[in-house]
Amino acid sequence: MREITYAEAIREAMSEEMRQNDDVFLMGEDVGVYGGAFGVSLGMVDEFGSERVRDMPISEAAIIGSGVGAAATGMRPIVEIQFSDFLTIGMDQLVNQGAKMRYMFGGNATVPLVVRAPEGSGTGAAAQHSQSLEAWFAHIPGLKVAVPSTPEDAKGMLKSAIRDDNPVVFFEQKLLYRKKGPVPEKEYTIPLGKARIHRDGGDLSLITYGRMLPLCLDIAKELSDEHGIEVEVVDPRTIRPLDRETLISSVKKTGRALIVHEAVTMGGFGGEIAAVLADSEAFPYLDAPIRRVGGLDVPIPYCPELEKQVVPTHDSVRSAVLELLDWEYGS
Amino acid sequence: MADKKKQHKNEELGREKLEDMLRKMQLIRSFEEKVAWFFSRGMVHGTTHLYIGEEATAVGATAALRDDDYITSTHRGHGHCIGKGIELNRMMAEFLGKSDGYCKGKGGSMHIADVRSGNLGANGVVGGGIPIAVGAGLTSKMKKQDRVVLCFFGDGANNQGSFHESLNLASVWKLPVVFLLENNTYAMSLNVAKSTAVSDLTERARAYSMDAHQMDGNNVMEVYHTVREAVEQARENGPVFLVSHTYRIMGHSKSDANRYRTREEIEAWKAKDPIPRFEQYLIEEHDFSREDVDAVGENARNAIEEAVAYAEQSPFPSIESIEEDVYA
Ligand SMILES: Cc1ncc(C[n+]2csc(CCOP(=O)(O)OP(=O)(O)O)c2C)c(N)n1
Ligand SMILES: [Mg+2]
């Protein structure tokens, strides 16, 4: 299969949907001739023009809010927030308006909006440009929240998000933008709310999403090669809706669960996954506590040496896996 | 106003002050060139926003402040910091993420701050510093401190809700804040003509019953005098709004292909470089010799090299420090 980058996959998804449906358009800061801060929409303005690839002033409340309004009245906007940290500025429009409209109007509104926003640390951009806030949005009924980890998923899930009649917050991974992966040339979509098992295994379920997936896959391969330990790597891909069944059945099989995400552990989405597992028929199968490895309980520091240490590392994830495998109750 | 301006000129702008202003402009230029040098060699990670070509605005404006006045700054904040009189060694250390930096290596280029000296910090969020300036003005008023807040922000920030909310509040409460919009024509790739509904940006102030003036942001003397008036007015009577017209010579950040503007436009603004312009003025109007102004530039470059040497020997923060300073 041909390989393209995560950023190219996202661009393809948007372009294909825009070719098929005149109601779909893209707007955000510097999405036109600049091509977006990370080059995701590079060249799109040449094909679609500045009516459908619209540069916007730095006004995140209006970026999201006008997306909500256009979505509620017949368009299918994709809005880009340059860094997901700035979703905070448009929070009212997203959380109090867009997410609630359908329910509080008794079903007589539809808000087919996609909010794309890159997240994550590792770029040396410090505390205000590096957060992973996806759990906040998973807390909001009425929103869907996607966190794709491969180019193939990014493309297929974004196409589904654009076709979805609900507001979807689509968290892109800055550090994956340039990573290549196989992406089918033929048209396809990937449903929101369906997990993917990246690697089968019977010893432990390593549940992860976003930019931690490649790290977890490396560790799983290493443990298999070196020790014959078979770790099952499961990516929920969307955290709302959450594919509980796949997660639960994996843990029933392996009896051990480790959840890894970059976001701060405290209040992070791993807590929800742990609760879902503990409160399920997987519980009696557990041979060890459910464990989380997430970001330290601090903002992202600038100094590169510190920045590397605040998020899960190869060592911290690998030793958590080994610890759970060695777990003995009463020890 | 014209008379008052003259008076200030005679009262305060002695040779020493003028030389200090040139020195700070040269320090900013050299600091930024050094920053660009580090990036071009891949010696620092992250990103940075260079202030080259805009030095007259930061220096003219901060020269009009009292030492105990406040500033709030932006993502493009190196110039504001140096203008306010930051210690170069610790500033360079912060840029390199070292433990002797102002933020102990945790802030970096976009967050250099020295709250004790009234520098409330650079800011990674466009428009993020504007309400903070209003809050500092409120403290000054409530505690009767007589301190003014000089609030820097870009043309891009003038479309944030935080900007409009802040101007209104400062005006209603008559707070001692000078809002200084640095109109460098672009917010990343977006020309201010495409982002903003008014072409005369001082009209923003009229909506909030605030006095407004504009100035040639590449003329340090004009900036100084205009801000000086505004600061005095703010100290007595409440907020003033200023627009400084200048231009960002370098790319927006380290990754900018300049697809949104022409080489001719950049070259035309390079010809308005505020530093040679100020040097010329000093030579023609204040008895500086060519050697005098050259020496100022030379000293500034040396000071930056010393700051680099200091910063390079400073250790990275320890891993144990990761969890420090989250809470007071
Ligand atoms: C709220 C917010 N939105 C977007 C960005 C990304 N961004 C950083 S600087 C910038 C342009 C700012 O333009 P302006 O205010 O004119 O300042 P300049 O860069 O020209 O000095 C943008 C879009 C940001 N940092 N914060
Ligand atoms: Mg600007």
Side-chain angles (χ1 to χ4, degrees):
Chain A
M1 207 184 291
R2 71 171 177 149
E3 300 219 327
I4 60 174
T5 66
Y6 186 94
E8 285 163 348
I10 291 166
R11 188 186 313 142
E12 275 194 6
M14 292 194 285
S15 299
E16 285 178 18
E17 294 302 302
M18 283 174 67
R19 281 177 208 128
Q20 288 169 23
N21 185 343
D22 287 343
D23 294 338
V24 179
F25 69 102
L26 171 67
M27 60 180 178
E29 292 157 18
D30 309 285
V31 296
V33 57
Y34 198 98
F38 298 93
V40 175
S41 55
L42 209 58
M44 284 178 65
V45 69
D46 300 329
E47 177 176 356
F48 300 103
S50 54
E51 277 287 299
R52 293 184 73 204
V53 178
R54 304 181 82 95
D55 277 331
M56 294 186 86
I58 306 171
S59 312
E60 282 80 7
I63 292 174
I64 296 179
S66 61
V68 170
T73 49
M75 302 299 287
R76 304 189 80 84
I78 306 165
V79 306
E80 178 180 299
I81 296 296
Q82 206 163 74
F83 289 80
S84 63
D85 311 70
F86 312 142
L87 285 166
T88 54
I89 299 166
M91 211 61 167
D92 167 59
Q93 292 297 322
L94 186 57
V95 172
N96 296 328
Q97 313 295 338
K100 307 284 195 286
M101 239 183 197
R102 183 171 187 87
Y103 186 82
M104 74 189 176
F105 293 172
N108 78 68
T110 308
V111 185
L113 170 70
V114 178
V115 179
R116 295 180 34 240
E119 67 169 1
S121 66
T123 64
Q128 296 175 333
H129 285 75
S130 304
Q131 296 167 91
S132 300
L133 299 175
E134 68 280 354
W136 289 14
F137 301 87
H139 190 61
I140 305 301
L143 295 180
K144 295 187 178 182
V145 183
V147 195
S149 59
T150 68
E152 183 180 1
D153 286 353
K155 180 172 179 186
M157 289 165 64
L158 183 54
K159 284 170 71 86
S160 293
I162 294 167
R163 296 177 192 188
D164 200 290
D165 278 336
N166 300 287
V168 180
V169 189
F170 198 84
F171 283 101
E172 299 172 3
Q173 307 296 305
K174 270 172 259 172
L175 285 202
L176 298 183
Y177 272 138
R178 296 197 181 151
K179 226 175 133 80
K180 282 193 170 183
V183 174
E185 245 148 316
K186 269 212 351 242
E187 170 149 25
Y188 70 98
T189 60
I190 291 172
L192 303 179
K194 194 83 204 78
R196 172 167 174 182
I197 298 181
H198 276 272
R199 189 184 171 98
D200 282 320
D203 295 329
L204 177 142
S205 300
L206 188 48
I207 300 168
T208 190
Y209 58 82
R211 87 136 150 137
M212 287 293 136
L213 179 81
L215 174 77
C216 290
L217 284 172
D218 285 350
I219 292 168
K221 177 166 188 315
E222 202 177 280
L223 291 174
S224 169
D225 292 349
E226 292 169 15
H227 303 288
I229 295 168
E230 296 306 332
V231 169
E232 179 147 296
V233 181
V234 187
D235 178 358
R237 303 196 285 195
T238 41
I239 58 173
R240 175 186 273 274
L242 181 66
D243 182 355
R244 294 159 203 254
E245 293 68 34
T246 301
L247 303 181
I248 292 167
S249 67
S250 172
V251 175
K252 272 169 80 175
K253 180 175 77 175
T254 64
R256 290 180 174 86
L258 176 66
I259 305 150
V260 178
H261 56 54
E262 175 173 346
V264 170
T265 310
M266 164 95 176
F269 195 73
E272 179 62 26
I273 296 176
V276 162
L277 295 171
D279 193 6
S280 77
E281 66 270 22
F283 183 69
Y285 294 83
L286 285 170
D287 296 323
I290 302 167
R291 182 144 300 175
R292 294 172 291 163
V293 176
L296 297 186
D297 207 7
V298 303
I300 304 292
Y302 167 70
C303 168
E305 298 309 312
L306 300 193
E307 187 185 17
K308 277 182 221 141
Q309 298 301 323
V310 293
V311 298
T313 59
H314 188 278
D315 285 353
S316 67
V317 175
R318 187 183 151 111
S319 42
V321 170
L322 293 174
E323 216 176 286
L324 287 182
L325 288 168
D326 287 343
W327 189 268
E328 279 176 45
Y329 279 101
S331 65
Chain B
M1 183 147 169
D3 278 357
K4 239 180 165 184
K5 266 188 189 173
K6 271 236 174 67
Q7 210 183 324
H8 290 145
K9 189 164 161 181
N10 298 336
E11 269 171 21
E12 299 157 52
L13 291 184
R15 193 179 170 98
E16 210 177 308
K17 176 98 175 175
L18 290 167
E19 190 174 313
D20 188 54
M21 286 164 72
L22 178 61
R23 193 178 74 90
K24 281 180 168 163
M25 289 171 77
Q26 290 284 21
L27 283 173
I28 297 171
R29 180 67 55 93
S30 305
F31 187 93
E32 298 298 53
E33 284 170 354
K34 203 72 208 178
V35 166
W37 180 88
F38 275 115
F39 271 100
S40 68
R41 277 160 188 72
M43 291 165 75
V44 276
H45 82 158
T47 192
T48 197
H49 306 87
L50 300 176
Y51 197 67
I52 290 175
E54 306 183 47
E55 294 90 347
T57 296
V59 170
T62 50
L65 294 178
R66 266 182 3 205
D67 278 352
D68 66 339
D69 287 336
Y70 289 109
I71 64 164
T72 62
S73 172
T74 69
H75 57 285
R76 199 176 301 288
H78 301 163
H80 310 144
C81 267
I82 291 174
K84 181 76 174 114
I86 207 157
E87 251 179 68
L88 292 168
N89 288 359
R90 294 186 59 202
M91 181 178 173
M92 189 63 85
E94 189 55 42
F95 167 69
L96 292 178
K98 298 300 189 72
S99 59
D100 292 306
Y102 273 99
C103 315
K104 303 177 192 165
K106 285 175 172 158
S109 161
M110 235 189 313
H111 302 291
I112 301 171
D114 183 26
V115 174
R116 254 160 301 190
S117 75
N119 179 346
L120 301 180
N123 207 308
V125 182
V126 172
I130 308 176
I132 292 169
V134 172
L138 182 60
T139 299
S140 175
K141 185 166 176 139
M142 291 182 78
K143 287 187 180 284
K144 301 193 173 37
Q145 290 169 327
D146 197 35
R147 298 164 85 172
V148 166
V149 190
L150 176 61
C151 171
F152 289 102
F153 54 94
D155 49 288
N158 105 93
N159 298 304
Q160 280 289 28
S162 63
F163 164 83
H164 291 274
E165 294 171 23
S166 297
L167 259 67
N168 181 63
L169 188 57
S171 184
V172 169
W173 286 350
K174 302 231 173 317
L175 299 178
V177 182
V178 174
F179 295 96
L180 200 169
L181 190 163
E182 295 181 287
N183 177 17
N184 61 7
T185 318
Y186 293 94
M188 225 162 131
S189 67
L190 197 59
N191 192 299
V192 63
K194 290 190 188 159
S195 70
T196 302
V198 293
S199 54
D200 174 359
L201 293 167
T202 61
E203 281 185 36
R204 291 298 203 203
R206 225 194 295 152
Y208 304 104
S209 304
M210 210 182 281
D211 283 346
H213 307 282
Q214 40 196 326
M215 51 207 180
D216 174 350
N218 284 20
N219 179 338
V220 68
M221 295 307 288
E222 184 175 330
V223 173
Y224 172 79
H225 288 298
T226 313
V227 177
R228 174 79 216 203
E229 289 291 325
V231 164
E232 284 189 4
Q233 186 181 338
R235 220 182 290 283
E236 302 300 319
N237 301 316
V240 181
F241 185 73
L242 302 175
V243 178
S244 168
H245 297 286
T246 180
Y247 192 80
R248 160 167 64 69
I249 296 294
M250 310 300 282
H252 165 70
S253 64
K254 80 170 185 191
S255 49
D256 181 349
N258 282 317
R259 273 187 219 98
Y260 50 88
R261 57 181 181 174
T262 62
R263 181 157 299 283
E264 291 70 46
E265 184 182 284
I266 301 172
E267 291 305 321
W269 275 93
K270 274 190 184 163
K272 301 183 204 171
D273 189 329
I275 293 180
R277 206 164 142 188
F278 187 40
E279 289 176 342
Q280 198 58 36
Y281 166 83
L282 292 176
I283 291 168
E284 283 168 12
E285 308 270 333
H286 291 273
D287 301 327
F288 279 69
S289 66
R290 173 48 53 194
E291 292 70 38
D292 293 339
V293 297
D294 286 349
V296 171
E298 192 54 34
N299 289 341
R301 282 184 286 280
N302 291 338
I304 295 299
E305 287 308 329
E306 282 168 28
V308 169
Y310 172 87
E312 283 183 331
Q313 60 75 42
S314 171
F316 281 116
S318 68
I319 295 299
E320 297 74 58
S321 76
I322 283 189
E323 294 187 308
E324 287 169 10
D325 292 325
V326 180
Y327 295 100

